[in-house]
Amino acid sequence: MVEIEHVSRNGKNRHLFRQLARDTCGEVFDVPEEDQAVFAYAQKHGQKVLIGVASYRLALQTMLEPGNIFLSPYYHVLTFLFVKRDWQGLGHGSAIVKDIERRMAKHDASRHVRIESAAKAVPFFQALEYKVAGDIVESICSGSPLFRELHRMEKLPSS
């Protein structure tokens, strides 16, 4: 069972976030300044261990039109999701995403959730009902081949 905590964006939590991102994909990512952070914990040999991190941005409710930017503040955005390799494929990533989606829906249930996903994670997000929603974006800034191509995806609000 995974325990999910919404944590503040302080120096200690940012360090843990960056460390888990680096351990998972080989590249350092930080919680974006306007985002909220989520930590996922599980029990291993009676110890509480950090097994995943995520960050997300809630839709800006004062924005009435989305404009033409894919990750516009009009939408909810899941910015990062990392789960340690040994804990992948056990439903922990899905639990993190579903927890975040519940918070997003509570904030504004009418807005889509958007992501730019690594190619490797597209099937994971499709299993969570995300659909491809645009062109593949080539990232020239990423040092990791994992993030060279980002697939734009979105999940429509539940009806």
Side-chain angles (χ1 to χ4, degrees), residues 85-149:
R85 283 182 184 85
D86 291 350
W87 296 89
Q88 292 176 5
L90 302 173
H92 302 309
S94 297
I96 295 167
V97 171
K98 288 175 185 175
D99 182 82
I100 291 170
E101 288 174 346
R102 279 190 294 277
R103 286 185 178 255
M104 290 173 167
K106 187 180 282 188
H107 178 73
D108 187 335
S110 70
R111 304 285 175 103
H112 299 191
V113 179
R114 289 196 162 180
I115 59 171
E116 288 184 335
S117 172
K120 180 180 174 183
V122 168
F124 167 80
F125 285 109
Q126 287 174 325
L128 293 172
E129 300 178 10
Y130 284 79
K131 308 285 185 222
V132 173
D135 297 330
I136 295 172
V137 178
E138 289 188 42
S139 174
I140 57 171
C141 298
S142 178
S144 170
L146 184 62
F147 298 106
R148 293 267 165 74
E149 289 186 351

Side-chain angles (χ1 to χ4, degrees), residues 11-38:
K12 178 184 175 189
N13 289 338
R14 290 178 58 214
H15 172 76
L16 291 170
F17 189 100
R18 290 190 304 264
Q19 184 176 17
L20 196 138
R22 185 185 63 241
D23 292 348
T24 303
C25 72
E27 194 164 340
V28 175
F29 291 95
D30 200 350
V31 179
E33 195 165 320
E34 300 300 319
D35 284 18
Q36 299 182 40
V38 174

